[in-house]
Amino acid sequence: MDAAYVNVFSRLNVEWEWLCAQDGNAQRVCGWLVETGVLDAAKAPEDLGALLDVLEERSLREGHRFSDVWLDLLLQHAGRGEELAARVVVQAMLPAAVRMATRSVRSGEEISEIHQVVVAALWQAVRSYPLSRTAWKVARHLQLEMWHHTSRDLKREFTSAGLPLDERLAGELTARCDPAAEVHASLLEAAAAEAGLVGGVDGARGELVELLVWALEQKVLSHGAAAAIADHYREDAPDDRTAAQAAGMSPAAVRQRRSRAVRQLRDAAAAQWAAA
């Protein structure tokens, strides 16, 4: 393995171990989290490394809604000059940076230079994170910012040498670098299957399915109404005539049922979903 590659990431890990060994660091971060109700004081670990492990494990179990809370809280402190808060976020995002660095290497490029660029991009994404942004999929937004800085700097470094940068990596990287998002997608797939909502949960459809699952849990929609929406708004959806024949209804009745379901969903959930 390239020595410089080891140094750029292992140096951060060594520094992290040093921070974990310093008295008071875990207590400071726990104080922020306990004060805002993210953690129970009785269950807060006394070690900084163990604290980050607890946060990441809960993020894997509970999805981005939990990670949004603690990442946004730390970013708010980082934005007010708390270096320790910024460092915790950087450590949390380091696995994503490693994956991004590995997938960003092109033939003819120096691996060590690529990794230096990605680490610098990670720090920049954390330090420049907009404090006014709504806390929604924070890890994903950090990764997008990290990719933005990485791609810009790699273009500046290597385009002059005639080395192309594949922009399609942006979507691949952000989809694969967020463990909480991956677990959330798996849970959503299971919930959709249990509810009988077919058609996948990728991209924008995932947000629709998540909304429909919520509507079923809150009893805003019946299963039939939710299925009417889910079946229509998918890539391989049948036209209304085909759907009507399968359901033993007229095309007009199918459209009417779907429109009624959309109105119910909009009236019950639009304000809450928009706020989220």
Side-chain angles (χ1 to χ4, degrees):
M1 183 178 292
D2 184 274
Y5 167 80
V6 174
N7 288 340
V8 70
F9 288 111
S10 67
R11 185 168 64 245
L12 287 172
N13 284 321
V14 169
E15 178 190 76
W16 177 249
E17 294 297 326
W18 180 83
L19 285 171
C20 292
Q22 300 303 302
D23 292 337
N25 283 343
Q27 289 74 13
R28 281 183 68 196
V29 179
C30 279
W32 300 330
L33 297 168
V34 169
E35 182 181 1
T36 53
V38 179
L39 284 181
D40 185 331
K43 299 178 181 179
E46 297 181 358
D47 175 78
L48 189 58
L51 174 60
L52 183 57
D53 289 342
V54 167
L55 294 173
E56 291 179 336
E57 287 169 5
R58 281 192 61 184
S59 296
L60 288 173
R61 291 198 311 270
E62 300 177 28
H64 72 81
R65 284 181 177 78
F66 177 71
S67 63
D68 285 344
V69 174
W70 66 267
L71 281 171
D72 183 68
L73 173 65
L74 293 179
L75 287 166
Q76 295 293 327
H77 281 279
R80 293 193 290 269
E82 290 284 359
E83 190 68 19
L84 179 60
R87 186 61 184 83
V88 174
V89 176
V90 165
Q91 191 66 26
M93 299 297 298
L94 201 58
V98 171
R99 295 187 186 97
M100 187 172 291
T102 301
R103 296 187 177 110
S104 295
V105 176
R106 297 291 182 275
S107 176
E109 298 173 355
E110 286 291 333
I111 295 176
S112 60
E113 293 181 10
I114 302 298
H115 297 146
Q116 291 284 358
V117 166
V118 173
V119 168
L122 170 56
W123 273 106
Q124 190 170 357
V126 171
R127 293 187 186 282
S128 63
Y129 195 85
L131 300 184
S132 60
R133 175 178 285 167
T134 301
W136 180 250
K137 297 189 177 180
V138 176
R140 183 63 56 87
H141 284 133
L142 281 171
Q143 288 164 152
L144 288 170
E145 288 297 316
M146 181 165 55
W147 172 252
H148 170 73
H149 296 306
T150 295
S151 61
R152 180 199 61 194
D153 292 342
L154 289 182
K155 282 180 181 179
R156 183 182 302 144
E157 292 280 340
F158 299 110
T159 300
S160 60
L163 299 171
L165 181 66
D166 190 349
E167 296 290 353
R168 291 174 300 175
L169 269 182
E172 296 176 8
L173 291 167
T174 55
R176 298 176 185 174
C177 291
D178 188 350
E182 291 173 5
V183 171
H184 179 69
S186 298
L187 294 174
L188 182 58
E189 285 180 359
E194 184 177 351
L197 306 177
V198 299
V201 297
D202 294 330
R205 178 171 175 79
E207 297 181 5
L208 171 62
V209 171
E210 187 171 5
L211 178 56
L212 291 174
V213 169
W214 172 86
L216 288 170
E217 291 174 348
Q218 300 298 315
K219 302 188 185 308
V220 170
L221 293 179
S222 67
H223 279 81
I229 297 174
D231 289 347
H232 181 71
Y233 295 104
R234 59 186 172 91
E235 186 175 349
D236 57 346
D239 57 34
D240 286 344
R241 184 178 298 277
T242 302
Q245 289 176 346
M249 302 168 63
S250 69
V254 167
R255 288 191 292 271
Q256 185 177 31
R257 181 181 65 174
R258 184 173 64 245
S259 296
R260 184 168 56 249
V262 170
R263 284 197 304 272
Q264 290 175 324
L265 183 61
R266 181 190 59 213
D267 293 344
Q272 179 171 341
W273 205 253

